[in-house]
Structures are given as C-alpha cells and as structure tokens.
Amino acid sequence: MPLQRWPARLLHGPATLILAVAVYCEVALPVPLRSTFTYLVPDSLGEGPEPGSRVVVPFRRKAVVGVVLECTSSKPDTENLREIVEVLDAQPALPPALVALGRWLADYYVAPVGEVFRAMLPPVVEVRTVRELRLTPAGREYLLRLLDGGERTEEENAELAVLQQFEVEQPVPANQFRKLAGGEAAAARLLRGGALEAREVARRRTTRTQKIVAWARTAPQPAPGSGEERIRDLLTATRGPLPVHALAEQAKVSRAVIERLVRDGVLETWEEPLDVELDSLEADIELPRNVLNPGQAHAVEQIRGWMDCGGFVTGLLHGVTGSGKTEVYLAAIETALERGRSALVLVPEIALTLAMSRLLRARLGEAAGVIVLHSGLPDGERARAWWAVRRGESRVVIGTRSAIFAPLERLGLVIVDEEHESSYKQEETPKYNGRDTALVRAKLEGAVAVLGSATPSLESYQHARAGKYQLLELEGRVSNRPLAQVALVDLRDEFRRTHRGGALSERLRSAITARLEAGTQALVLINRRGYSWCALCRSCGAAVQCQNCSISLTYHKSRQRLLCHYCGYSRPVPKACPKCNAEYMYFVGEGAEQVEEQLRAQFPAARVGRLDRDTVRSKRAYQKILGAFAAGKLDILVGTQMVAKGHDFHRVTLVGVVSADLALGLPDFRAAERTFQILTQVAGRAGRGELPGEVLVQTFHPEHYAIQYGARQDYQAFFEKEVHFRRMMHYPPFAALASVLVRAPKIENAIRWSRALEGFFRPLEARGLKVLGPAQAPLARLRRDYRFQFLLKAPKRTQLSRVLGECLDFCAKKEIPDGAVLVDVDPVNLL
C-alpha cells in the first residue's frame, strides 16, 4: 500500500510513527537549455504525477507546461524548490517508450531536452496563459500618498484608478485595465516604477462539448419501419454513436423524438469534446484488392516472418517507380492488425496523406480507426486526433515526420515511404530526422521498420548492402508495364540550331502537341518558384538583393513583387537599379510561373494548371488542383518537385523536365544524389497506366553521371559511382557528419565566436576528428544574421556526439549566447 505524504508533520498511529516522504519531479521545460528542472510535488497531488505526464509549473515569472521525466524521493541539492501547480493529464500523455525516445533524441541531436518533448507533444489547448498584476508594498505606499495628497495630475488620477482595483493580496488580470481611461498606460508606468509586479499564470480553457447519443443495450425492439428503427440501425449497424444533430439529420427525425427516447432510457448520452464536423471528413473510396505479383508476395512474406519472430528488424523495400510498394505496405499493415499490433505510416509531404489515408480506410475499414496526424492541422483538431490515438481509439496512424511521436500502443509496424526525402529532416530545433527516429522507435518497441523508395538514400542502401538492413527488391512494374522511355535534350545544341532561348525546347513542344492531339496528359517539372530567378541591371550587372539575406530576390509576376523565399521579405519591382540608378533592368531565368505562361501562349486550347507553393496555400487548394488533373479536367500540369512525389496518374504519357541540372551547382556533396533522385522519381510519373510513357530531360550538362544514370533509371550504376566518391572524401555513410553554425546580427561577433570555436576544435584533430572551417556559410547572411560554418567528420558517432556536447559546454563557459551556435547532427541541408 503506498505511503501517504504529509510533509512538515508526522503520521501518528496506535503503535507507529511514520515520517513524511517528499516527492520531487524531474521536469523538461520548453526552454533552450539542455538541462531539466526539479520541482516539489505538493500535498494535494498525493504521490505525484507519473512519468510522461504534462504539468503546469512556475518558471521565472511565467506559468509553463512541462513533461515529467522521473519522480524520486531523493532530495536534490537545490534549496527553495518551487511546487508543481497542476497536473494536466489523468493518463500520462507520453507512454514509457516515447519518454525513452525523447531522451535519446536530446542526447543524439545535442538538443534542449524540453524543446524535444515540446515537439513530441500535441498543441496545449487545455490551458491558456493569463498575465496578472499584483500590488507590491511600494505600490501600497504610493496608493496611500495619492489618497492623502492634494490636487493630482491627469496621469496620477489614472494611476489611482488602477491601484484602487487591487485588494491587498488579490491579483488582477492585466486586460481589466483596458476598461479604464488611460488604464493600460498607467499600469505600464506603475510596472516600470515597481508599484506593480507582473506574473503569467495558467488557466484551464472551457472545453466546447457536444452530446453523443448511443442505443441502450437494454432498450426494447422498435416497431418495424418507425423512426426508432432507423435510429437503432444508424447507432448500431451503420454508424455507431453520433452527435445529436447528426443523428437527427441522418435518421430524419426531430430533436424532440431523440430527447423523448433519452428520457425513456432507449438512448444513452454523454458529453465529448467538439470534434470535426462530419461533413468535412474524407469520403471513403472503393479499393479493389490487387493480386500480388511474385515480387510483392515475396516481400510480404518476408515482413510477415519478421513480425512472427517478434523482434526489431529493418527492411529496405527498393522497387522501381510503379512497382507496387503501396500494395506491400497495405498487406503488411493488415498483417500487423491481425496479430493485435498497431501500425504507423510516414509520408514525406502533408499533401500525400489524403490519398494514403483513403487507401487505408478503404482497405482496413472503420475498425482500424485510421487517423491522420500532421502539423498542418488546426491546433484543436490535431490535439483531438492525438488524444484519440492515446486513448486507443486508433490502431493505424498516417502522417508526416511529426507523426512518429503518435502515442500508439503495441506498435508492431513502422513504414517510412519515400525514405530518401529530405523533408523528413526538421530544420528547426530539435533538428531530428524522421526516418532515423522511426528506426529508433521501432527498436524501442520491438517493431518491424520498413523503409521504401525507388531511389533509396545512399546511407540506407549501404546499410542494406552491409547487412544492417534486410533488402527487399521489386524489380519490375505492376502488370509488367515497361518503364517510360527517357531522352536527353541538349540545350547547348538547341541554342546553336535555333539561336533562341526559352524554357521549352522544340522537341518538348512537339511532344506536348502530340499528347494534346491524342487526348492524353503531360506533366512539366521546373524546380524553381516564381516567374524569374532575379532582376538584373544591364548597366552595372547588380541583382536586386534581399535586405535580410545574401541572396537575389525572385520575381513573381502575378504579384508584381520581388520576394525572398527564405525570410519572406518583399518589395515592388524597381523602375531603376537601386545601385547605379540605371533604367535598364531585366529579368533572368525561368520559374514555374513563366513556364505556365509560355505553355498557355503556345497551346491556347489546352487546359493548363500549376502546382507549387504559390498556388497551393492550403490542403484544399492542393486537392483541388490534383483532383482536377486526375479527373482529366487539365491537359498539362506544370509544377515544382511537388509534382514528382508519389502520384499515380494513369493518363500521363509525357513528362518534361526543364533545367534538370539546377541542383548540380549547389555547394552540397548530395547535389548529384538529389538530381538523380528527382529525375528518376518524376520519370516514374509517366506510363503508369496501359499507355506507354515518354520523358524528355532538358539539360546543359547531359554528360553528367547523375543525369545519365537518371535517364536510364539505373540506381545500381549510380550507387556504385557515387559511393566511391563518398568513401574517398569521407562523407556519409562512411563518416558521421555534423554542422556547427555560428550566427550573429553583427559580423564582428560572428567572427569572434567562430575564432573561439576554431581554437576549441583544432586540438581535437589529433584524435581523428576532421574539421572544415570556419568559413562563410553558402548563405552568408540569412534573416539579418551573419553566418559562419564548421563541418565536423568523425569515424564514429559516439565520438562526434561527445565532441558536440563539449562544444556547447565550451560556448556556455565563454558566454557565447545560446542561440548563436546551432548544432545539426546528420545535416541534410548545408546551405
């Protein structure tokens, strides 16, 4: 029987004398510090919250929501510990496996532990923060002086009105002073003068609820053909429990009938948080069950065998585009559910969750409770979905990288689709990789992890070759459909023959004309947003630069603005050069907006659509454009890399790639890999139906191996070429890599701190650590910060993690600000 806690007094029994036991909690707070904080559990909370629970605690002058990591009776060295204010969860928000995963993330990525757990948890919608003001002793004295004094100024009258709102010990909400004339300004003056003190406190939100109706088990049989029979069928056989308004609408009865049945005990009711409206839920679609081909059947049998063994296994599912990897995923998920386990599916983009969730719901039915989780959901909807998973109402979750933290119980299968995608890497703190985190979670829970891709990352494929992962191959397309024929268009020859520029070559225009005549569809990829890359002065050669970043502004014709795609800065198009005042400004390069314009001009009868971040600002807009293309309402779809990922359009017989070699000029050792991947992926969008496909790749560098192998869709040859370069240059997967970025608004500070870090890193080179830098980052200035970069290579990850921890300790010792040094373990973007 647990011991009841009574600090500062004794429990007296007939023959016993029991000393009180205090309980202390280690709490992770969402602050940029790598340490946790200790709080005392007050008497009112009994034995204290369980690990994984969210608690409200005082931190400085604020109320903050943190996560309990551990409870102990051992008193820490710290004196004057503050108490936990409130426990938010009756059931811990995070199960033990996710608490362990959070600790691993903080250690591996050298990230503040509180910010890691903030990223893992749903939005806090249960509480709101209120700013309260309290009267200080100095304030009471000032109030007495104002009351005893003679004539007062207008400002003093306003201050007196504010001070009179306070009782001796009672706080007052800060927004209350808006009602008083000059009250806000007076309160601000009193705060500065010390007459008032401010503190932020947490208050529970009022939860909006709705009444849910269910058919009572003891209810008598209703009369045939009656409204009661329709209600019973809806609540038992067809839908299950429903909100009152939905039941009235679908059963075609009045609310009075429902209320009468509730009074008679025929219906049971309870209150639930207001959820998503039923008419906004995605409709189910029919999904014919495909017959597995031999390659798919072998992959499914392998995955089933791993699940039956009951341990952690990682499988890399490598199959050409259109080889039926999704069907393998579906069969594997069914296997997990049959064995009483749950499943988690990660996709690289929010937009891809719609099609996958429909496939899952159609295949698995309502019993699986498929739930979608991603950061694009409104806070309330995301929190409700997250807690539905925590309560065990879902056995299958699909989402983007943040869905890896979904609190599924008995996790048996983790699927990472398109595992090579860079979007699995988070660019803000904590800078975790969703793919790698998925593997660690699967290991913690004894689950099977399946990574799928037509173009696996070199790291994953090397692990498979070395035996760390199990390799599953799908060598042909479904129904033995051939891969699309890929041809290279040399833009150098094009210009020599035509002496004309432009985004569309003659060959691509002719191919589009043929598709329009045949009544099929074409897809055009241009991996550049906007209309033109930059505005350039013909007189002095200067480009119009962003005022916050060291990059040229991109011209967007539809807005008639120049935009920075990094910080969001924009300005009107200048009539004269900002540098030399010459009037000879012109626009350089083609973006998706200009390609769309050229297609509309050259094919006036065609229906042309565009898919990029400028046309898609919501999930609904994305679905509208893709839905129109899938339904045949568009003939040509032009877009950025969004069109290259995971889509299955059976009437697309032509794919055109404009400026295929754009990424090759980036200062990144993965430039060739990314070029090969996007060419192979977009080529896979053609010829997925009964009609054969053709791909035209326009390039100025047709001899580059990434473009050559991409055109042949030959992953093995590209891997052998690229892996040799990585091995020789000591890049991943043959070394552990980290980036240390130093940033500051003043370049003098950035240089001084970089030199200090250089002094720290240089002696470590004798221990096998390779240090490149400090050097200006490729984006030398970003969002008004000057940036210098170190790249660290180590033969072992443990050595790299130890060095990075020592680096941050060194920065704290040298009083370099916390936000001035950013550590990125296993970086994906080196800009």
Side-chain angles (χ1 to χ4, degrees), residues 765-780:
E765 292 186 324
R767 291 156 49 183
L769 184 76
K770 293 183 181 295
V771 181
L772 306 179
Q776 276 194 329
L779 274 174

Side-chain angles (χ1 to χ4, degrees), residues 332-390:
I333 293 168
E334 284 182 316
T335 300
L337 298 184
E338 289 167 2
R339 285 153 175 74
R341 307 292 291 273
S342 58
L344 176 61
V345 183
L346 300 186
V347 293
E349 299 283 351
I350 290 174
L352 297 177
T353 58
L354 173 65
M356 183 63 81
S357 64
R358 286 181 171 177
L359 287 173
L360 291 170
R361 285 169 179 154
R363 172 65 70 86
L364 305 175
E366 292 296 323
V370 177
I371 280 182
V372 177
L373 274 177
H374 56 72
S375 58
L377 296 172
D379 283 355
E381 184 178 338
R382 186 179 170 199
R384 284 191 292 270
W386 198 93
W387 281 104
V389 176
R390 185 68 181 103

